[in-house]
Amino acid sequence: MIDFLTTVFGLLGQIWLSALIDGQRTAFLLPAFIFIELSLLLVIVFGILHWYRHRQAFLSMPSTYHPRVSIIITCYGEGREIEKTILSFAEQIYAGHIEIIAVVDGAKQNADTFAAAMACRAWFERRHRNQPLRYPNRSYRVLPKWQRGGRVSTLNAGLHVAHGEIIINADGDTSFDNVTVALMVRHFQDPNVPAVAGALKVRNQTDGWVTRMQTLEYMMSIQCAKTGLARWNMVNNISGAFGAFRRDFLRKIGGWNTHTAEDLDLTMRIKAYFGRHPNLYIPFEPHAIGFTEAPATFKEFRQQRLRWDGDLLFLYLRKHKQSFRVRLLGIKNFIFTVIYGVLQEIILPFLIFLFTLWLFVIYPAGYAWGVLLFVYFLYLGQAVLMLALYYFLISERREQELWIFLWSPIYPLFAFFRKMWSMVAALYEIVGRGHEETSMAPWWVIKRGTKF
Amino acid sequence: MPNHSNGKPALLNFNEAGEAYDSDDKKPVILCLGKPDVHYSEAYSVKVLFDLAAFYDALPLYENLAAILLCQHAADEALPVIRQHPNTALILVFCDEPCLYPHDGNIPTEQQLTSAWQAWQQAYASYPELGKTHNPQDLLLAYLALRGDCLLTPERDLSSALSYRYPVLELFDLGDSQYFLKQAMRDELMSPVSLVDRVRQCTHCGHNKLNYVDLCPQCSSLDIKQQSAIHCFTCGHVGEQQRFMDGGRLVCPNCLTALRHIGADYDRPLENMECNSCQSFFIEAKVVARCLHCDHENDPSDLNIAQIQSFRITDKAKFRLRVALDERFSLDLGEQVSRDYLHWLVDWQLGLSRRHQIEFALLCLSFNRVEQAVDELGAAQVYRMIGQLGTQVKDRLRVTDVICQYEDHSYLLLLPNLPVDHLTVVQQKMRQLSQLVEGSSALDMAVSYYHAPSELVEGENGEFLIARLLAEASGHD
């Protein structure tokens, strides 16, 4: 693996050096930086088109497969927010049984969350003998973990008591569309599907520009990117806020593992079977949508990304560096993971930063600004293309989402900052082992986890 | 005693050997319907009858009847007849057959019979006037009193309107039990001992076979169903969930918007009942108590509530049996009117007085210590005083005056067309009464007066007025 990286680095270094010597060619070398992005873009665009072509056939396929589904809702300090989540699962239009399990981590400290979870029992019970059940076919239980143990223990506790054939994990602050379960389950008809990735949207879209930008980002990186990638069985991550798994498969691979970014960890571990079981397939369902609370202020956003992007580096380059093998991932996912996971997410931010710095050092400011303007339009073009694909092919709420085009001109700036911030996060992880500062589990749990 | 030399039914007497013989002696008689298994000695004359009609005919024949034994079926039929016949109303009745009505126990041995009869005779002796009683109400009171203050207890009976019946009241044919008991309580003849149950009755027919049904509050239709309704936020349409289902999705049938997210696109309004007749939505159905007997629909909170209680007779009732039944304790004032008629008359006079300023007076004459006087002075002395007082009062009345014995020892006199200055004369005369009759102060006679229109009060009616006068006269104001 390291050998491969040095090769890539070497290649890029040579391009870099020649550009340094012959400054006049810089402008022509620009696309080289976005070569990585462009290759991904193509994969995604064709993936979406392919998905769109087969969508109707998938939806109109008759189905009598309605297994019992267990929903593990991870609750911590959400308070009464979890009512929305529980209600949204109760409201599912699904012919089979849905078992809703609200696992409250640290139920003692989070007494209000626990009380809210207990209060929800009223929806699923009869007040008197002759009252028909409000939600027949739905059962609900609260699983309080009195001692706080972190997200992973919460999920595994839920998995331990779940009876459903399909397990769906959901965050306590995420509520779901009423077709979610039915659409997710539909994918499991194929016995080769061990897991399905679910889509997320921002619930508090209108809170401010930060949430507006994140809405656009989610649309591109989740709705578009995952739809396209999943078509080629290269889904990057099954979100921790919303994913579905076949219970037996999940139990066999040992459930969720400790450390942060347990979702990416689980995705990597499932993918590690792809080399040996080439038929395994992780679909993405863009119309099974969880609406989640995104950070509403810029500061919260920066903190969240510091964690996420740092965790990404920790996962790919520390915890799962052993997984970067063709034998495990299969050639397709190996290339993808390197390009997406390592080059785009980790190395590209550094390159962009250095390029911009170099641009201003070598060239007159006017020329540098000109180049950046060109880059801006390049990225704007990419964003508009993605948003258009999303809007016309994927969106299920077109009438409510036209505003995204209005906000798209700001998006490249936001994306640029995000890239720079992701570099800071990577540095922080490399130097300060940021992943160990997670708030996802208490320190006494983190301390005992295997060091990478 | 009727002359039964001709119509005497064929009675059979049995001797110890079981042979029938004729006897006319004065031995206490045991009248049997059917042949008893128990053997009785010669101390009793046992009369056995097998035919019900002949048995009924025999009821009035014996003055020295000790007991009646019902040894064959038809006890249910015979017992009310026995109790409603004045000669046998209070007699001990024994019965081996299961019976709807209470009786004095299973067929006794001779020893048991003798002791029961002696106890009965003793009790009977303390009510010397009982023989004259024909009024069913007094017979009932006497029946209870003679059986050691036996309780009047209700029994569960699903076929009756209230689900409870008082078998003893039925025996004496006292009509509507609730009405009778209410009257008896008002007259302080019966007092409740314990509350057995509380039943709700139809306000229309008084039955308690009620069916509680939930109806549509709009059109009162019975045909309602639980409904999960959905409220579309886009157009505000509210409808049955089934009409929103479109394949695997929810789509508003009104505006065709896809409803995806609870709380954001749609919610479930609280109304969760729908009427199949008028299609209205509502939260809570109207509950009515429909009478299964007359189909009247009652509001459950308006239903009559009847207390089902067991009763015992009061001391006042016993006193009444002992003393008041004796007409000699009542003033002989000539023809009297009933209470209800008096109420009507007083109301009428009050009405006339309001409209035409007609003058009339109402007097209440009350003897408050008759009971004590009987104890202190003896009955004979009291008879004499009351007799004299009655004559005196009667002499002072005009032909047109109306008299009513309102309670046992309270009399109301309505004096129509009496000017107010004449009232003082009447008052004076009444005051003189007690002086005229020696020793009559022991009876604690009191008189209260009312005169209209001088004391006319707006809104007062006859019943109030009489109650006030009674209270004034009896001293507990």
PDB file of all heavy atoms in Angstrom, chain A residues 87-88 91 93 132 135 175-179 291 396-397 399-400, chain B residues 226 230 245 247-250 257 259-262 265-266 268:
ATOM      1  N   LEU A  87     -41.939   8.526  16.335  1.00  0.00           N
ATOM      2  CA  LEU A  87     -43.203   8.688  15.620  1.00  0.00           C
ATOM      3  C   LEU A  87     -43.030   8.410  14.134  1.00  0.00           C
ATOM      4  O   LEU A  87     -43.864   7.773  13.499  1.00  0.00           O
ATOM      5  CB  LEU A  87     -43.731  10.106  15.846  1.00  0.00           C
ATOM      6  CG  LEU A  87     -45.113  10.393  15.271  1.00  0.00           C
ATOM      7  CD1 LEU A  87     -46.145   9.488  15.907  1.00  0.00           C
ATOM      8  CD2 LEU A  87     -45.504  11.842  15.472  1.00  0.00           C
ATOM      9  N   SER A  88     -41.889   8.882  13.572  1.00  0.00           N
ATOM     10  CA  SER A  88     -41.701   8.697  12.138  1.00  0.00           C
ATOM     11  C   SER A  88     -41.550   7.221  11.783  1.00  0.00           C
ATOM     12  O   SER A  88     -41.929   6.805  10.695  1.00  0.00           O
ATOM     13  CB  SER A  88     -40.508   9.516  11.639  1.00  0.00           C
ATOM     14  OG  SER A  88     -39.305   8.954  12.097  1.00  0.00           O
ATOM     15  N   GLU A  91     -45.059   5.637  11.933  1.00  0.00           N
ATOM     16  CA  GLU A  91     -45.868   6.046  10.790  1.00  0.00           C
ATOM     17  C   GLU A  91     -45.489   5.352   9.487  1.00  0.00           C
ATOM     18  O   GLU A  91     -46.077   5.631   8.447  1.00  0.00           O
ATOM     19  CB  GLU A  91     -45.731   7.560  10.591  1.00  0.00           C
ATOM     20  CG  GLU A  91     -46.515   8.391  11.575  1.00  0.00           C
ATOM     21  CD  GLU A  91     -47.996   8.438  11.235  1.00  0.00           C
ATOM     22  OE1 GLU A  91     -48.328   8.329  10.047  1.00  0.00           O
ATOM     23  OE2 GLU A  91     -48.812   8.548  12.152  1.00  0.00           O
ATOM     24  N   ILE A  93     -45.170   3.270   6.237  1.00  0.00           N
ATOM     25  CA  ILE A  93     -46.116   2.498   5.439  1.00  0.00           C
ATOM     26  C   ILE A  93     -45.399   1.206   5.056  1.00  0.00           C
ATOM     27  O   ILE A  93     -44.675   1.147   4.064  1.00  0.00           O
ATOM     28  CB  ILE A  93     -46.529   3.282   4.183  1.00  0.00           C
ATOM     29  CG1 ILE A  93     -47.099   4.635   4.601  1.00  0.00           C
ATOM     30  CG2 ILE A  93     -47.530   2.499   3.365  1.00  0.00           C
ATOM     31  CD1 ILE A  93     -47.266   5.593   3.448  1.00  0.00           C
ATOM     32  N   PRO A 132     -58.997   0.198  19.449  1.00  0.00           N
ATOM     33  CA  PRO A 132     -58.100  -0.432  18.475  1.00  0.00           C
ATOM     34  C   PRO A 132     -56.708   0.171  18.584  1.00  0.00           C
ATOM     35  O   PRO A 132     -56.570   1.339  18.934  1.00  0.00           O
ATOM     36  CB  PRO A 132     -58.739  -0.096  17.128  1.00  0.00           C
ATOM     37  CG  PRO A 132     -59.750   0.944  17.379  1.00  0.00           C
ATOM     38  CD  PRO A 132     -60.013   1.047  18.840  1.00  0.00           C
ATOM     39  N   TYR A 135     -51.204   1.925  16.141  1.00  0.00           N
ATOM     40  CA  TYR A 135     -50.220   1.414  15.190  1.00  0.00           C
ATOM     41  C   TYR A 135     -50.154  -0.100  15.307  1.00  0.00           C
ATOM     42  O   TYR A 135     -49.315  -0.621  16.035  1.00  0.00           O
ATOM     43  CB  TYR A 135     -48.847   2.015  15.466  1.00  0.00           C
ATOM     44  CG  TYR A 135     -48.797   3.508  15.292  1.00  0.00           C
ATOM     45  CD1 TYR A 135     -48.564   4.346  16.361  1.00  0.00           C
ATOM     46  CD2 TYR A 135     -49.007   4.070  14.037  1.00  0.00           C
ATOM     47  CE1 TYR A 135     -48.534   5.721  16.202  1.00  0.00           C
ATOM     48  CE2 TYR A 135     -48.984   5.434  13.863  1.00  0.00           C
ATOM     49  CZ  TYR A 135     -48.740   6.256  14.946  1.00  0.00           C
ATOM     50  OH  TYR A 135     -48.720   7.613  14.774  1.00  0.00           O
ATOM     51  N   SER A 175     -35.379  12.101  11.843  1.00  0.00           N
ATOM     52  CA  SER A 175     -36.714  11.546  11.584  1.00  0.00           C
ATOM     53  C   SER A 175     -36.812  11.140  10.118  1.00  0.00           C
ATOM     54  O   SER A 175     -36.065  11.637   9.282  1.00  0.00           O
ATOM     55  CB  SER A 175     -37.795  12.549  11.950  1.00  0.00           C
ATOM     56  OG  SER A 175     -37.602  13.745  11.244  1.00  0.00           O
ATOM     57  N   PHE A 176     -37.755  10.268   9.830  1.00  0.00           N
ATOM     58  CA  PHE A 176     -37.705   9.564   8.541  1.00  0.00           C
ATOM     59  C   PHE A 176     -38.991   9.700   7.749  1.00  0.00           C
ATOM     60  O   PHE A 176     -40.088   9.800   8.318  1.00  0.00           O
ATOM     61  CB  PHE A 176     -37.407   8.084   8.790  1.00  0.00           C
ATOM     62  CG  PHE A 176     -36.036   7.877   9.365  1.00  0.00           C
ATOM     63  CD1 PHE A 176     -35.802   8.046  10.724  1.00  0.00           C
ATOM     64  CD2 PHE A 176     -34.976   7.564   8.542  1.00  0.00           C
ATOM     65  CE1 PHE A 176     -34.529   7.883  11.241  1.00  0.00           C
ATOM     66  CE2 PHE A 176     -33.705   7.407   9.063  1.00  0.00           C
ATOM     67  CZ  PHE A 176     -33.474   7.567  10.420  1.00  0.00           C
ATOM     68  N   ASP A 177     -38.851   9.670   6.432  1.00  0.00           N
ATOM     69  CA  ASP A 177     -40.016   9.638   5.553  1.00  0.00           C
ATOM     70  C   ASP A 177     -40.749   8.316   5.741  1.00  0.00           C
ATOM     71  O   ASP A 177     -40.144   7.309   6.098  1.00  0.00           O
ATOM     72  CB  ASP A 177     -39.567   9.763   4.088  1.00  0.00           C
ATOM     73  CG  ASP A 177     -39.392  11.214   3.685  1.00  0.00           C
ATOM     74  OD1 ASP A 177     -39.642  12.082   4.526  1.00  0.00           O
ATOM     75  OD2 ASP A 177     -38.992  11.455   2.525  1.00  0.00           O
ATOM     76  N   ASN A 178     -42.050   8.341   5.440  1.00  0.00           N
ATOM     77  CA  ASN A 178     -42.846   7.170   5.764  1.00  0.00           C
ATOM     78  C   ASN A 178     -42.701   5.990   4.793  1.00  0.00           C
ATOM     79  O   ASN A 178     -43.304   4.946   4.999  1.00  0.00           O
ATOM     80  CB  ASN A 178     -44.324   7.552   5.931  1.00  0.00           C
ATOM     81  CG  ASN A 178     -44.846   8.310   4.727  1.00  0.00           C
ATOM     82  OD1 ASN A 178     -44.312   8.206   3.643  1.00  0.00           O
ATOM     83  ND2 ASN A 178     -45.906   9.066   4.940  1.00  0.00           N
ATOM     84  N   VAL A 179     -41.913   6.167   3.733  1.00  0.00           N
ATOM     85  CA  VAL A 179     -41.696   5.028   2.832  1.00  0.00           C
ATOM     86  C   VAL A 179     -40.332   4.393   3.075  1.00  0.00           C
ATOM     87  O   VAL A 179     -39.954   3.427   2.396  1.00  0.00           O
ATOM     88  CB  VAL A 179     -41.795   5.458   1.348  1.00  0.00           C
ATOM     89  CG1 VAL A 179     -43.214   5.824   0.995  1.00  0.00           C
ATOM     90  CG2 VAL A 179     -40.858   6.612   1.062  1.00  0.00           C
ATOM     91  N   PHE A 291     -34.150  12.725   8.012  1.00  0.00           N
ATOM     92  CA  PHE A 291     -33.884  14.148   8.141  1.00  0.00           C
ATOM     93  C   PHE A 291     -33.166  14.376   9.459  1.00  0.00           C
ATOM     94  O   PHE A 291     -33.700  14.085  10.518  1.00  0.00           O
ATOM     95  CB  PHE A 291     -35.185  14.935   8.095  1.00  0.00           C
ATOM     96  CG  PHE A 291     -35.730  15.050   6.708  1.00  0.00           C
ATOM     97  CD1 PHE A 291     -36.360  13.967   6.110  1.00  0.00           C
ATOM     98  CD2 PHE A 291     -35.585  16.218   5.989  1.00  0.00           C
ATOM     99  CE1 PHE A 291     -36.842  14.054   4.825  1.00  0.00           C
ATOM    100  CE2 PHE A 291     -36.059  16.314   4.697  1.00  0.00           C
ATOM    101  CZ  PHE A 291     -36.683  15.238   4.107  1.00  0.00           C
ATOM    102  N   GLU A 396     -37.111  13.851  -4.744  1.00  0.00           N
ATOM    103  CA  GLU A 396     -38.504  13.438  -4.568  1.00  0.00           C
ATOM    104  C   GLU A 396     -39.336  14.605  -4.050  1.00  0.00           C
ATOM    105  O   GLU A 396     -40.520  14.492  -3.836  1.00  0.00           O
ATOM    106  CB  GLU A 396     -38.578  12.228  -3.637  1.00  0.00           C
ATOM    107  CG  GLU A 396     -38.439  12.521  -2.148  1.00  0.00           C
ATOM    108  CD  GLU A 396     -37.094  13.133  -1.762  1.00  0.00           C
ATOM    109  OE1 GLU A 396     -36.079  12.794  -2.415  1.00  0.00           O
ATOM    110  OE2 GLU A 396     -37.070  13.949  -0.833  1.00  0.00           O
ATOM    111  N   ARG A 397     -38.678  15.751  -3.794  1.00  0.00           N
ATOM    112  CA  ARG A 397     -39.386  16.922  -3.269  1.00  0.00           C
ATOM    113  C   ARG A 397     -39.044  18.124  -4.142  1.00  0.00           C
ATOM    114  O   ARG A 397     -38.661  19.169  -3.630  1.00  0.00           O
ATOM    115  CB  ARG A 397     -38.912  17.225  -1.846  1.00  0.00           C
ATOM    116  CG  ARG A 397     -39.497  16.339  -0.773  1.00  0.00           C
ATOM    117  CD  ARG A 397     -38.889  16.701   0.565  1.00  0.00           C
ATOM    118  NE  ARG A 397     -39.621  16.143   1.672  1.00  0.00           N
ATOM    119  CZ  ARG A 397     -39.518  14.901   2.082  1.00  0.00           C
ATOM    120  NH1 ARG A 397     -38.707  14.066   1.449  1.00  0.00           N
ATOM    121  NH2 ARG A 397     -40.229  14.471   3.113  1.00  0.00           N
ATOM    122  N   GLU A 399     -40.631  20.366  -5.673  1.00  0.00           N
ATOM    123  CA  GLU A 399     -41.325  21.643  -5.443  1.00  0.00           C
ATOM    124  C   GLU A 399     -40.701  22.428  -4.288  1.00  0.00           C
ATOM    125  O   GLU A 399     -40.757  23.650  -4.259  1.00  0.00           O
ATOM    126  CB  GLU A 399     -42.831  21.398  -5.211  1.00  0.00           C
ATOM    127  CG  GLU A 399     -43.201  20.651  -3.946  1.00  0.00           C
ATOM    128  CD  GLU A 399     -42.995  19.132  -4.025  1.00  0.00           C
ATOM    129  OE1 GLU A 399     -42.387  18.617  -5.011  1.00  0.00           O
ATOM    130  OE2 GLU A 399     -43.405  18.461  -3.096  1.00  0.00           O
ATOM    131  N   GLN A 400     -40.074  21.721  -3.335  1.00  0.00           N
ATOM    132  CA  GLN A 400     -39.522  22.413  -2.174  1.00  0.00           C
ATOM    133  C   GLN A 400     -38.043  22.740  -2.334  1.00  0.00           C
ATOM    134  O   GLN A 400     -37.446  23.314  -1.442  1.00  0.00           O
ATOM    135  CB  GLN A 400     -39.686  21.535  -0.923  1.00  0.00           C
ATOM    136  CG  GLN A 400     -41.130  21.299  -0.539  1.00  0.00           C
ATOM    137  CD  GLN A 400     -41.273  20.168   0.458  1.00  0.00           C
ATOM    138  OE1 GLN A 400     -40.355  19.861   1.197  1.00  0.00           O
ATOM    139  NE2 GLN A 400     -42.437  19.546   0.460  1.00  0.00           N
TER     140      GLN A 400
ATOM    141  N   GLN B 226     -63.948   3.564  14.482  1.00  0.00           N
ATOM    142  CA  GLN B 226     -62.653   4.170  14.763  1.00  0.00           C
ATOM    143  C   GLN B 226     -61.971   4.442  13.427  1.00  0.00           C
ATOM    144  O   GLN B 226     -62.015   3.613  12.536  1.00  0.00           O
ATOM    145  CB  GLN B 226     -61.795   3.198  15.565  1.00  0.00           C
ATOM    146  CG  GLN B 226     -62.192   3.086  17.010  1.00  0.00           C
ATOM    147  CD  GLN B 226     -61.548   4.153  17.872  1.00  0.00           C
ATOM    148  OE1 GLN B 226     -60.595   4.786  17.452  1.00  0.00           O
ATOM    149  NE2 GLN B 226     -62.078   4.354  19.056  1.00  0.00           N
ATOM    150  N   ILE B 230     -56.050  11.493   8.351  1.00  0.00           N
ATOM    151  CA  ILE B 230     -54.805  12.189   8.043  1.00  0.00           C
ATOM    152  C   ILE B 230     -55.132  13.610   7.623  1.00  0.00           C
ATOM    153  O   ILE B 230     -56.153  13.864   6.969  1.00  0.00           O
ATOM    154  CB  ILE B 230     -54.040  11.404   6.950  1.00  0.00           C
ATOM    155  CG1 ILE B 230     -53.336  10.230   7.617  1.00  0.00           C
ATOM    156  CG2 ILE B 230     -53.050  12.298   6.222  1.00  0.00           C
ATOM    157  CD1 ILE B 230     -52.558   9.383   6.688  1.00  0.00           C
ATOM    158  N   MET B 245     -53.938   6.344   0.662  1.00  0.00           N
ATOM    159  CA  MET B 245     -52.979   5.327   0.261  1.00  0.00           C
ATOM    160  C   MET B 245     -52.929   5.234  -1.264  1.00  0.00           C
ATOM    161  O   MET B 245     -53.950   5.127  -1.926  1.00  0.00           O
ATOM    162  CB  MET B 245     -53.379   3.962   0.840  1.00  0.00           C
ATOM    163  CG  MET B 245     -53.275   3.872   2.344  1.00  0.00           C
ATOM    164  SD  MET B 245     -51.630   4.181   2.990  1.00  0.00           S
ATOM    165  CE  MET B 245     -50.806   2.694   2.478  1.00  0.00           C
ATOM    166  N   GLY B 247     -50.544   3.063  -3.721  1.00  0.00           N
ATOM    167  CA  GLY B 247     -49.427   2.133  -3.787  1.00  0.00           C
ATOM    168  C   GLY B 247     -48.793   2.069  -2.420  1.00  0.00           C
ATOM    169  O   GLY B 247     -49.471   1.879  -1.428  1.00  0.00           O
ATOM    170  N   GLY B 248     -47.519   2.282  -2.363  1.00  0.00           N
ATOM    171  CA  GLY B 248     -46.851   2.267  -1.063  1.00  0.00           C
ATOM    172  C   GLY B 248     -46.659   3.652  -0.489  1.00  0.00           C
ATOM    173  O   GLY B 248     -45.826   3.834   0.371  1.00  0.00           O
ATOM    174  N   ARG B 249     -47.410   4.628  -1.005  1.00  0.00           N
ATOM    175  CA  ARG B 249     -47.188   5.999  -0.553  1.00  0.00           C
ATOM    176  C   ARG B 249     -48.466   6.592  -0.003  1.00  0.00           C
ATOM    177  O   ARG B 249     -49.555   6.053  -0.187  1.00  0.00           O
ATOM    178  CB  ARG B 249     -46.739   6.868  -1.732  1.00  0.00           C
ATOM    179  CG  ARG B 249     -45.510   6.383  -2.448  1.00  0.00           C
ATOM    180  CD  ARG B 249     -45.082   7.403  -3.478  1.00  0.00           C
ATOM    181  NE  ARG B 249     -46.168   7.759  -4.407  1.00  0.00           N
ATOM    182  CZ  ARG B 249     -46.183   8.881  -5.117  1.00  0.00           C
ATOM    183  NH1 ARG B 249     -45.210   9.754  -4.998  1.00  0.00           N
ATOM    184  NH2 ARG B 249     -47.196   9.123  -5.939  1.00  0.00           N
ATOM    185  N   LEU B 250     -48.324   7.749   0.635  1.00  0.00           N
ATOM    186  CA  LEU B 250     -49.484   8.517   1.041  1.00  0.00           C
ATOM    187  C   LEU B 250     -49.585   9.708   0.100  1.00  0.00           C
ATOM    188  O   LEU B 250     -48.632  10.470  -0.036  1.00  0.00           O
ATOM    189  CB  LEU B 250     -49.311   9.051   2.464  1.00  0.00           C
ATOM    190  CG  LEU B 250     -49.473   8.103   3.637  1.00  0.00           C
ATOM    191  CD1 LEU B 250     -49.315   8.880   4.935  1.00  0.00           C
ATOM    192  CD2 LEU B 250     -50.827   7.437   3.602  1.00  0.00           C
ATOM    193  N   THR B 257     -50.647  16.007  -3.436  1.00  0.00           N
ATOM    194  CA  THR B 257     -49.297  16.118  -2.894  1.00  0.00           C
ATOM    195  C   THR B 257     -48.914  14.797  -2.234  1.00  0.00           C
ATOM    196  O   THR B 257     -49.737  14.195  -1.545  1.00  0.00           O
ATOM    197  CB  THR B 257     -49.246  17.209  -1.806  1.00  0.00           C
ATOM    198  OG1 THR B 257     -49.901  18.357  -2.314  1.00  0.00           O
ATOM    199  CG2 THR B 257     -47.820  17.550  -1.418  1.00  0.00           C
ATOM    200  N   LEU B 259     -47.378  12.827   0.606  1.00  0.00           N
ATOM    201  CA  LEU B 259     -47.136  13.137   2.011  1.00  0.00           C
ATOM    202  C   LEU B 259     -46.094  12.154   2.521  1.00  0.00           C
ATOM    203  O   LEU B 259     -46.354  10.965   2.624  1.00  0.00           O
ATOM    204  CB  LEU B 259     -48.435  13.001   2.806  1.00  0.00           C
ATOM    205  CG  LEU B 259     -49.611  13.809   2.248  1.00  0.00           C
ATOM    206  CD1 LEU B 259     -50.860  13.567   3.068  1.00  0.00           C
ATOM    207  CD2 LEU B 259     -49.294  15.296   2.204  1.00  0.00           C
ATOM    208  N   ARG B 260     -44.905  12.685   2.816  1.00  0.00           N
ATOM    209  CA  ARG B 260     -43.787  11.794   3.123  1.00  0.00           C
ATOM    210  C   ARG B 260     -43.421  11.770   4.582  1.00  0.00           C
ATOM    211  O   ARG B 260     -43.034  10.743   5.111  1.00  0.00           O
ATOM    212  CB  ARG B 260     -42.561  12.224   2.333  1.00  0.00           C
ATOM    213  CG  ARG B 260     -42.729  12.119   0.845  1.00  0.00           C
ATOM    214  CD  ARG B 260     -41.449  12.431   0.121  1.00  0.00           C
ATOM    215  NE  ARG B 260     -41.657  12.347  -1.303  1.00  0.00           N
ATOM    216  CZ  ARG B 260     -42.104  13.348  -2.050  1.00  0.00           C
ATOM    217  NH1 ARG B 260     -42.367  14.511  -1.505  1.00  0.00           N
ATOM    218  NH2 ARG B 260     -42.277  13.188  -3.350  1.00  0.00           N
ATOM    219  N   HIS B 261     -43.527  12.937   5.237  1.00  0.00           N
ATOM    220  CA  HIS B 261     -42.902  13.036   6.539  1.00  0.00           C
ATOM    221  C   HIS B 261     -43.919  13.478   7.583  1.00  0.00           C
ATOM    222  O   HIS B 261     -44.522  14.533   7.449  1.00  0.00           O
ATOM    223  CB  HIS B 261     -41.742  14.035   6.475  1.00  0.00           C
ATOM    224  CG  HIS B 261     -40.675  13.762   7.479  1.00  0.00           C
ATOM    225  ND1 HIS B 261     -39.574  13.005   7.172  1.00  0.00           N
ATOM    226  CD2 HIS B 261     -40.553  14.120   8.765  1.00  0.00           C
ATOM    227  CE1 HIS B 261     -38.802  12.922   8.244  1.00  0.00           C
ATOM    228  NE2 HIS B 261     -39.384  13.579   9.228  1.00  0.00           N
ATOM    229  N   ILE B 262     -44.110  12.655   8.588  1.00  0.00           N
ATOM    230  CA  ILE B 262     -45.036  13.012   9.665  1.00  0.00           C
ATOM    231  C   ILE B 262     -44.535  14.294  10.337  1.00  0.00           C
ATOM    232  O   ILE B 262     -43.337  14.470  10.525  1.00  0.00           O
ATOM    233  CB  ILE B 262     -45.152  11.859  10.690  1.00  0.00           C
ATOM    234  CG1 ILE B 262     -46.165  12.187  11.807  1.00  0.00           C
ATOM    235  CG2 ILE B 262     -43.820  11.511  11.345  1.00  0.00           C
ATOM    236  CD1 ILE B 262     -47.565  11.873  11.454  1.00  0.00           C
ATOM    237  N   ASP B 265     -45.206  17.093   6.523  1.00  0.00           N
ATOM    238  CA  ASP B 265     -46.162  17.089   5.418  1.00  0.00           C
ATOM    239  C   ASP B 265     -47.588  16.834   5.895  1.00  0.00           C
ATOM    240  O   ASP B 265     -48.544  17.277   5.288  1.00  0.00           O
ATOM    241  CB  ASP B 265     -45.817  15.986   4.409  1.00  0.00           C
ATOM    242  CG  ASP B 265     -44.446  16.181   3.800  1.00  0.00           C
ATOM    243  OD1 ASP B 265     -43.988  17.331   3.792  1.00  0.00           O
ATOM    244  OD2 ASP B 265     -43.837  15.193   3.349  1.00  0.00           O
ATOM    245  N   TYR B 266     -47.711  16.094   6.961  1.00  0.00           N
ATOM    246  CA  TYR B 266     -49.051  15.707   7.406  1.00  0.00           C
ATOM    247  C   TYR B 266     -49.009  15.396   8.892  1.00  0.00           C
ATOM    248  O   TYR B 266     -47.936  15.269   9.474  1.00  0.00           O
ATOM    249  CB  TYR B 266     -49.543  14.482   6.630  1.00  0.00           C
ATOM    250  CG  TYR B 266     -48.828  13.186   6.948  1.00  0.00           C
ATOM    251  CD1 TYR B 266     -49.403  12.261   7.818  1.00  0.00           C
ATOM    252  CD2 TYR B 266     -47.591  12.886   6.396  1.00  0.00           C
ATOM    253  CE1 TYR B 266     -48.763  11.077   8.113  1.00  0.00           C
ATOM    254  CE2 TYR B 266     -46.943  11.703   6.683  1.00  0.00           C
ATOM    255  CZ  TYR B 266     -47.533  10.804   7.546  1.00  0.00           C
ATOM    256  OH  TYR B 266     -46.904   9.628   7.839  1.00  0.00           O
ATOM    257  N   ARG B 268     -51.702  13.454  12.163  1.00  0.00           N
ATOM    258  CA  ARG B 268     -52.954  12.757  12.452  1.00  0.00           C
ATOM    259  C   ARG B 268     -53.756  13.647  13.373  1.00  0.00           C
ATOM    260  O   ARG B 268     -53.376  13.854  14.509  1.00  0.00           O
ATOM    261  CB  ARG B 268     -52.676  11.424  13.124  1.00  0.00           C
ATOM    262  CG  ARG B 268     -52.070  10.448  12.174  1.00  0.00           C
ATOM    263  CD  ARG B 268     -51.754   9.150  12.845  1.00  0.00           C
ATOM    264  NE  ARG B 268     -51.028   8.328  11.915  1.00  0.00           N
ATOM    265  CZ  ARG B 268     -51.610   7.603  10.981  1.00  0.00           C
ATOM    266  NH1 ARG B 268     -52.912   7.583  10.882  1.00  0.00           N
ATOM    267  NH2 ARG B 268     -50.880   6.888  10.150  1.00  0.00           N
TER     268      ARG B 268
END
